[in-house]
Amino acid sequence: MPLSHSLVALLVTAIWGLSFVVIKLGVGTMPPLLLAALRFLFAALPAVFFVAKPKTDWRIVVAYGFFLGIAQFGLLFAAISLGMPASLASVVMQAQVFFTILFAALVMGERPGPHQVIGGIVASSGLVLIAWPRMTGGGAVPFLMTVLAAAAWGVANIVSKRAGRVDMLSFIVWSSLVAPLPLFGLSLWLDGPAQVFDALKHIDGNTVAAVAYLAYPTTIFAFGIWAYLLSRHPAATVTPFALFVPVAGILGSALILGEAMHPIEAIGGAVIVLGLAFNVFGRRLLRRAA
């Protein structure tokens, strides 16, 4: 992958890492699914009136909007609202790397290398370390929701590859139209009309800023660039750049939210990052060992 693409991929992951902090702040003042609905509403509007429809099957656009907007972020926002720490969520979500590689192998025939298999096993053990103490308390549900969100992200990555070499700005904008109404409807159902409309009535500047950050740099720019890279390079080459997401997420959470990981979570997170690192650099290490 060219150096320019690598640098842009790192910028994208930094934006995503900080977005976990923004989500945590946002769900403190607004129901999570309503916040997610506003994110995708403003990602789509008014841009959809100025951007041509993507030249791909409309079913791919709808599928991407569903798995990215409703499944991934509906689950993630709700999990963080239920108590999943932003720093830990930024780590667990990187299981998407291995879900993407697995789904690419199953659906598209992209066979993972030995280093990717080893990296996946190592990262999975890190997830087990994090999950173990949470399975007996109230943290089990938000943790499992975050893992499912990572799996949905993996599916969305494969769907974006299926789209081929299309205009990724139009792809992201038009797919963002899929999520707002279902997420708004789910928020009305789960939170109740009174809470939803009260949150909209009393929206403040911080919430507006959170929606703007999540809609524009995080969704339009970052996911547009990510989908562009996936359309031009193998999934196993692009997705490991997500290694930097938890670094930015943990630093941002510590500096802005004052979050600190428990020792077992820190160890599990380190093991996940080790697995991701081996996924990136393992091929060279195995070649040298041979």
Side-chain angles (χ1 to χ4, degrees), residues 18 85 102 123 131 136 141 165 180 182 189 202 205 247 253 283:
L18 292 176
L102 173 62
T136 57
V141 171
R165 296 197 172 192
W189 177 43
H202 296 97
V247 177
S253 298
R283 178 180 293 176

PDB file of all heavy atoms in Angstrom, residues 18 85 102 123 131 136 141 165 180 182 189 202 205 247 253 283:
ATOM      1  N   LEU A  18     -10.658   8.834  18.993  1.00  0.00           N
ATOM      2  CA  LEU A  18     -11.233   9.932  19.769  1.00  0.00           C
ATOM      3  C   LEU A  18     -12.757   9.914  19.739  1.00  0.00           C
ATOM      4  O   LEU A  18     -13.403  10.471  20.632  1.00  0.00           O
ATOM      5  CB  LEU A  18     -10.711  11.268  19.244  1.00  0.00           C
ATOM      6  CG  LEU A  18      -9.216  11.523  19.484  1.00  0.00           C
ATOM      7  CD1 LEU A  18      -8.795  12.831  18.839  1.00  0.00           C
ATOM      8  CD2 LEU A  18      -8.894  11.528  20.973  1.00  0.00           C
ATOM      9  N   PRO A  85     -16.788   1.146  29.318  1.00  0.00           N
ATOM     10  CA  PRO A  85     -15.854   2.278  29.280  1.00  0.00           C
ATOM     11  C   PRO A  85     -15.411   2.585  27.857  1.00  0.00           C
ATOM     12  O   PRO A  85     -15.213   1.669  27.044  1.00  0.00           O
ATOM     13  CB  PRO A  85     -14.671   1.785  30.127  1.00  0.00           C
ATOM     14  CG  PRO A  85     -15.235   0.701  30.984  1.00  0.00           C
ATOM     15  CD  PRO A  85     -16.296   0.043  30.153  1.00  0.00           C
ATOM     16  N   LEU A 102     -11.846 -13.087   8.730  1.00  0.00           N
ATOM     17  CA  LEU A 102     -12.619 -14.328   8.706  1.00  0.00           C
ATOM     18  C   LEU A 102     -13.701 -14.280   7.644  1.00  0.00           C
ATOM     19  O   LEU A 102     -13.846 -15.211   6.826  1.00  0.00           O
ATOM     20  CB  LEU A 102     -13.246 -14.564  10.083  1.00  0.00           C
ATOM     21  CG  LEU A 102     -14.230 -15.738  10.191  1.00  0.00           C
ATOM     22  CD1 LEU A 102     -13.530 -17.062   9.894  1.00  0.00           C
ATOM     23  CD2 LEU A 102     -14.885 -15.766  11.567  1.00  0.00           C
ATOM     24  N   ALA A 123      -5.258 -12.380  19.852  1.00  0.00           N
ATOM     25  CA  ALA A 123      -6.234 -11.330  20.171  1.00  0.00           C
ATOM     26  C   ALA A 123      -7.476 -11.920  20.837  1.00  0.00           C
ATOM     27  O   ALA A 123      -8.050 -11.309  21.745  1.00  0.00           O
ATOM     28  CB  ALA A 123      -6.616 -10.572  18.904  1.00  0.00           C
ATOM     29  N   ALA A 131     -13.263 -10.517  29.095  1.00  0.00           N
ATOM     30  CA  ALA A 131     -14.642 -10.993  29.294  1.00  0.00           C
ATOM     31  C   ALA A 131     -14.822 -11.747  30.604  1.00  0.00           C
ATOM     32  O   ALA A 131     -15.881 -11.660  31.228  1.00  0.00           O
ATOM     33  CB  ALA A 131     -15.045 -11.893  28.129  1.00  0.00           C
ATOM     34  N   THR A 136     -19.714 -12.379  35.161  1.00  0.00           N
ATOM     35  CA  THR A 136     -20.445 -12.631  36.410  1.00  0.00           C
ATOM     36  C   THR A 136     -21.117 -11.371  36.953  1.00  0.00           C
ATOM     37  O   THR A 136     -21.741 -11.419  37.997  1.00  0.00           O
ATOM     38  CB  THR A 136     -19.483 -13.180  37.480  1.00  0.00           C
ATOM     39  OG1 THR A 136     -18.407 -12.251  37.671  1.00  0.00           O
ATOM     40  CG2 THR A 136     -18.912 -14.512  37.031  1.00  0.00           C
ATOM     41  N   VAL A 141     -23.396  -7.769  29.539  1.00  0.00           N
ATOM     42  CA  VAL A 141     -24.241  -7.349  28.409  1.00  0.00           C
ATOM     43  C   VAL A 141     -23.555  -6.287  27.554  1.00  0.00           C
ATOM     44  O   VAL A 141     -23.450  -6.457  26.327  1.00  0.00           O
ATOM     45  CB  VAL A 141     -25.622  -6.869  28.905  1.00  0.00           C
ATOM     46  CG1 VAL A 141     -26.405  -6.225  27.757  1.00  0.00           C
ATOM     47  CG2 VAL A 141     -26.405  -8.038  29.490  1.00  0.00           C
ATOM     48  N   ARG A 165     -15.096  -0.419  -6.948  1.00  0.00           N
ATOM     49  CA  ARG A 165     -14.469   0.906  -7.032  1.00  0.00           C
ATOM     50  C   ARG A 165     -15.504   1.960  -7.396  1.00  0.00           C
ATOM     51  O   ARG A 165     -15.582   2.417  -8.544  1.00  0.00           O
ATOM     52  CB  ARG A 165     -13.323   0.892  -8.046  1.00  0.00           C
ATOM     53  CG  ARG A 165     -12.190  -0.035  -7.636  1.00  0.00           C
ATOM     54  CD  ARG A 165     -10.924   0.253  -8.391  1.00  0.00           C
ATOM     55  NE  ARG A 165      -9.805  -0.509  -7.866  1.00  0.00           N
ATOM     56  CZ  ARG A 165      -8.544  -0.287  -8.184  1.00  0.00           C
ATOM     57  NH1 ARG A 165      -8.239   0.684  -9.035  1.00  0.00           N
ATOM     58  NH2 ARG A 165      -7.579  -1.028  -7.668  1.00  0.00           N
ATOM     59  N   PRO A 180     -31.099   6.451  10.056  1.00  0.00           N
ATOM     60  CA  PRO A 180     -31.795   7.349  10.986  1.00  0.00           C
ATOM     61  C   PRO A 180     -33.193   6.915  11.405  1.00  0.00           C
ATOM     62  O   PRO A 180     -33.497   6.895  12.610  1.00  0.00           O
ATOM     63  CB  PRO A 180     -31.835   8.681  10.216  1.00  0.00           C
ATOM     64  CG  PRO A 180     -30.653   8.629   9.319  1.00  0.00           C
ATOM     65  CD  PRO A 180     -30.544   7.190   8.900  1.00  0.00           C
ATOM     66  N   PRO A 182     -34.841   3.867  11.336  1.00  0.00           N
ATOM     67  CA  PRO A 182     -34.887   2.695  12.223  1.00  0.00           C
ATOM     68  C   PRO A 182     -34.326   2.982  13.610  1.00  0.00           C
ATOM     69  O   PRO A 182     -34.885   2.526  14.615  1.00  0.00           O
ATOM     70  CB  PRO A 182     -34.029   1.657  11.484  1.00  0.00           C
ATOM     71  CG  PRO A 182     -34.119   2.059  10.048  1.00  0.00           C
ATOM     72  CD  PRO A 182     -34.166   3.551  10.052  1.00  0.00           C
ATOM     73  N   TRP A 189     -39.191   3.355  20.915  1.00  0.00           N
ATOM     74  CA  TRP A 189     -39.703   2.119  21.505  1.00  0.00           C
ATOM     75  C   TRP A 189     -39.027   1.809  22.843  1.00  0.00           C
ATOM     76  O   TRP A 189     -39.685   1.505  23.829  1.00  0.00           O
ATOM     77  CB  TRP A 189     -39.499   0.974  20.518  1.00  0.00           C
ATOM     78  CG  TRP A 189     -39.931  -0.366  21.039  1.00  0.00           C
ATOM     79  CD1 TRP A 189     -41.065  -0.662  21.742  1.00  0.00           C
ATOM     80  CD2 TRP A 189     -39.221  -1.603  20.890  1.00  0.00           C
ATOM     81  NE1 TRP A 189     -41.106  -2.006  22.043  1.00  0.00           N
ATOM     82  CE2 TRP A 189     -39.996  -2.613  21.532  1.00  0.00           C
ATOM     83  CE3 TRP A 189     -38.039  -1.959  20.266  1.00  0.00           C
ATOM     84  CZ2 TRP A 189     -39.588  -3.951  21.562  1.00  0.00           C
ATOM     85  CZ3 TRP A 189     -37.642  -3.289  20.294  1.00  0.00           C
ATOM     86  CH2 TRP A 189     -38.411  -4.262  20.949  1.00  0.00           C
ATOM     87  N   HIS A 202     -34.194  19.869  24.687  1.00  0.00           N
ATOM     88  CA  HIS A 202     -33.174  20.481  25.542  1.00  0.00           C
ATOM     89  C   HIS A 202     -31.754  20.209  25.053  1.00  0.00           C
ATOM     90  O   HIS A 202     -30.815  20.208  25.838  1.00  0.00           O
ATOM     91  CB  HIS A 202     -33.333  19.981  26.983  1.00  0.00           C
ATOM     92  CG  HIS A 202     -34.626  20.378  27.625  1.00  0.00           C
ATOM     93  ND1 HIS A 202     -35.714  19.548  27.672  1.00  0.00           N
ATOM     94  CD2 HIS A 202     -35.004  21.546  28.229  1.00  0.00           C
ATOM     95  CE1 HIS A 202     -36.729  20.169  28.279  1.00  0.00           C
ATOM     96  NE2 HIS A 202     -36.316  21.371  28.635  1.00  0.00           N
ATOM     97  N   GLY A 205     -25.181  22.770  23.366  1.00  0.00           N
ATOM     98  CA  GLY A 205     -24.053  22.950  22.459  1.00  0.00           C
ATOM     99  C   GLY A 205     -23.107  21.774  22.445  1.00  0.00           C
ATOM    100  O   GLY A 205     -22.556  21.417  21.393  1.00  0.00           O
ATOM    101  N   VAL A 247      -5.106   2.993  20.847  1.00  0.00           N
ATOM    102  CA  VAL A 247      -4.097   3.913  21.406  1.00  0.00           C
ATOM    103  C   VAL A 247      -4.698   5.298  21.569  1.00  0.00           C
ATOM    104  O   VAL A 247      -4.628   5.911  22.650  1.00  0.00           O
ATOM    105  CB  VAL A 247      -2.843   3.966  20.509  1.00  0.00           C
ATOM    106  CG1 VAL A 247      -1.840   4.980  21.054  1.00  0.00           C
ATOM    107  CG2 VAL A 247      -2.197   2.588  20.399  1.00  0.00           C
ATOM    108  N   SER A 253      -9.467   8.890  26.416  1.00  0.00           N
ATOM    109  CA  SER A 253     -10.320   8.578  27.564  1.00  0.00           C
ATOM    110  C   SER A 253      -9.643   8.947  28.879  1.00  0.00           C
ATOM    111  O   SER A 253     -10.284   9.423  29.815  1.00  0.00           O
ATOM    112  CB  SER A 253     -10.673   7.084  27.569  1.00  0.00           C
ATOM    113  OG  SER A 253     -11.392   6.735  26.411  1.00  0.00           O
ATOM    114  N   ARG A 283       4.205 -11.505   9.294  1.00  0.00           N
ATOM    115  CA  ARG A 283       4.726 -12.121   8.066  1.00  0.00           C
ATOM    116  C   ARG A 283       6.239 -11.928   8.004  1.00  0.00           C
ATOM    117  O   ARG A 283       6.980 -12.872   7.662  1.00  0.00           O
ATOM    118  CB  ARG A 283       4.041 -11.512   6.843  1.00  0.00           C
ATOM    119  CG  ARG A 283       4.565 -12.077   5.529  1.00  0.00           C
ATOM    120  CD  ARG A 283       3.848 -11.451   4.344  1.00  0.00           C
ATOM    121  NE  ARG A 283       2.446 -11.839   4.306  1.00  0.00           N
ATOM    122  CZ  ARG A 283       1.578 -11.373   3.414  1.00  0.00           C
ATOM    123  NH1 ARG A 283       1.965 -10.477   2.528  1.00  0.00           N
ATOM    124  NH2 ARG A 283       0.324 -11.761   3.444  1.00  0.00           N
TER     125      ARG A 283
END
